[in-house]
mmCIF file of all heavy atoms in Angstrom:
data_model
loop_
_atom_site.group_PDB
_atom_site.id
_atom_site.type_symbol
_atom_site.label_atom_id
_atom_site.label_comp_id
_atom_site.label_asym_id
_atom_site.label_seq_id
_atom_site.Cartn_x
_atom_site.Cartn_y
_atom_site.Cartn_z
ATOM 1 N N ARG A 362 74.097 37.171 1.313
ATOM 2 C CA ARG A 362 74.393 35.830 1.817
ATOM 3 C C ARG A 362 74.896 35.994 3.246
ATOM 4 O O ARG A 362 75.361 37.061 3.634
ATOM 5 C CB ARG A 362 75.464 35.139 0.974
ATOM 6 C CG ARG A 362 75.045 34.849 -0.454
ATOM 7 C CD ARG A 362 76.120 34.042 -1.175
ATOM 8 N NE ARG A 362 77.483 34.497 -0.910
ATOM 9 C CZ ARG A 362 78.141 35.410 -1.631
ATOM 10 N NH1 ARG A 362 77.544 35.977 -2.663
ATOM 11 N NH2 ARG A 362 79.375 35.754 -1.313
ATOM 12 N N PHE A 363 74.854 34.925 4.003
ATOM 13 C CA PHE A 363 75.294 34.996 5.400
ATOM 14 C C PHE A 363 76.752 35.446 5.494
ATOM 15 O O PHE A 363 77.105 36.233 6.360
ATOM 16 C CB PHE A 363 75.103 33.635 6.083
ATOM 17 C CG PHE A 363 75.574 33.620 7.496
ATOM 18 C CD1 PHE A 363 74.824 34.226 8.493
ATOM 19 C CD2 PHE A 363 76.787 33.032 7.840
ATOM 20 C CE1 PHE A 363 75.258 34.236 9.812
ATOM 21 C CE2 PHE A 363 77.227 33.035 9.161
ATOM 22 C CZ PHE A 363 76.456 33.631 10.141
ATOM 23 N N ASP A 364 77.592 34.969 4.595
ATOM 24 C CA ASP A 364 79.020 35.314 4.666
ATOM 25 C C ASP A 364 79.308 36.764 4.267
ATOM 26 O O ASP A 364 80.431 37.233 4.430
ATOM 27 C CB ASP A 364 79.871 34.345 3.845
ATOM 28 C CG ASP A 364 79.506 34.336 2.370
ATOM 29 O OD1 ASP A 364 78.413 34.816 2.012
ATOM 30 O OD2 ASP A 364 80.326 33.848 1.567
ATOM 31 N N GLU A 365 78.310 37.493 3.783
ATOM 32 C CA GLU A 365 78.484 38.905 3.448
ATOM 33 C C GLU A 365 78.119 39.841 4.614
ATOM 34 O O GLU A 365 78.329 41.042 4.520
ATOM 35 C CB GLU A 365 77.621 39.271 2.231
ATOM 36 C CG GLU A 365 78.064 38.593 0.952
ATOM 37 C CD GLU A 365 77.130 38.897 -0.206
ATOM 38 O OE1 GLU A 365 75.897 38.764 -0.032
ATOM 39 O OE2 GLU A 365 77.644 39.263 -1.277
ATOM 40 N N LEU A 366 77.574 39.282 5.673
ATOM 41 C CA LEU A 366 77.223 40.109 6.830
ATOM 42 C C LEU A 366 78.480 40.586 7.541
ATOM 43 O O LEU A 366 79.498 39.883 7.578
ATOM 44 C CB LEU A 366 76.376 39.307 7.831
ATOM 45 C CG LEU A 366 74.950 38.959 7.426
ATOM 46 C CD1 LEU A 366 74.295 38.116 8.503
ATOM 47 C CD2 LEU A 366 74.126 40.195 7.155
ATOM 48 N N THR A 367 78.402 41.777 8.124
ATOM 49 C CA THR A 367 79.510 42.274 8.940
ATOM 50 C C THR A 367 79.551 41.471 10.241
ATOM 51 O O THR A 367 78.583 40.793 10.598
ATOM 52 C CB THR A 367 79.322 43.768 9.275
ATOM 53 O OG1 THR A 367 78.119 43.915 10.039
ATOM 54 C CG2 THR A 367 79.267 44.614 8.023
ATOM 55 N N HIS A 368 80.661 41.583 10.934
ATOM 56 C CA HIS A 368 80.826 40.835 12.188
ATOM 57 C C HIS A 368 79.742 41.225 13.193
ATOM 58 O O HIS A 368 79.160 40.362 13.856
ATOM 59 C CB HIS A 368 82.219 41.092 12.769
ATOM 60 C CG HIS A 368 82.482 40.348 14.028
ATOM 61 N ND1 HIS A 368 82.595 38.979 14.067
ATOM 62 C CD2 HIS A 368 82.627 40.769 15.312
ATOM 63 C CE1 HIS A 368 82.801 38.591 15.307
ATOM 64 N NE2 HIS A 368 82.829 39.671 16.083
ATOM 65 N N SER A 369 79.457 42.504 13.321
ATOM 66 C CA SER A 369 78.438 42.919 14.288
ATOM 67 C C SER A 369 77.035 42.483 13.853
ATOM 68 O O SER A 369 76.184 42.189 14.701
ATOM 69 C CB SER A 369 78.488 44.422 14.538
ATOM 70 O OG SER A 369 78.377 45.121 13.343
ATOM 71 N N ALA A 370 76.777 42.414 12.550
ATOM 72 C CA ALA A 370 75.472 41.932 12.078
ATOM 73 C C ALA A 370 75.307 40.450 12.414
ATOM 74 O O ALA A 370 74.211 40.017 12.805
ATOM 75 C CB ALA A 370 75.330 42.158 10.578
ATOM 76 N N VAL A 371 76.386 39.673 12.292
ATOM 77 C CA VAL A 371 76.335 38.252 12.652
ATOM 78 C C VAL A 371 76.032 38.109 14.143
ATOM 79 O O VAL A 371 75.232 37.257 14.551
ATOM 80 C CB VAL A 371 77.671 37.550 12.292
ATOM 81 C CG1 VAL A 371 77.729 36.153 12.880
ATOM 82 C CG2 VAL A 371 77.859 37.502 10.790
ATOM 83 N N GLN A 372 76.641 38.975 14.971
ATOM 84 C CA GLN A 372 76.406 38.931 16.411
ATOM 85 C C GLN A 372 74.952 39.292 16.751
ATOM 86 O O GLN A 372 74.375 38.721 17.667
ATOM 87 C CB GLN A 372 77.355 39.901 17.142
ATOM 88 C CG GLN A 372 78.813 39.578 16.966
ATOM 89 C CD GLN A 372 79.174 38.217 17.521
ATOM 90 O OE1 GLN A 372 78.758 37.858 18.605
ATOM 91 N NE2 GLN A 372 79.925 37.448 16.756
ATOM 92 N N GLU A 373 74.380 40.219 16.021
ATOM 93 C CA GLU A 373 73.011 40.683 16.294
ATOM 94 C C GLU A 373 71.940 39.781 15.687
ATOM 95 O O GLU A 373 70.772 39.867 16.076
ATOM 96 C CB GLU A 373 72.814 42.104 15.751
ATOM 97 C CG GLU A 373 73.504 43.169 16.555
ATOM 98 C CD GLU A 373 72.936 43.327 17.956
ATOM 99 O OE1 GLU A 373 71.710 43.176 18.146
ATOM 100 O OE2 GLU A 373 73.728 43.584 18.862
#
Side-chain angles (χ1 to χ4, degrees):
R362 295 186 318 269
F363 178 75
D364 60 343
E365 293 176 311
L366 290 177
T367 62
H368 181 67
S369 55
V371 170
Q372 298 298 316
E373 287 294 324

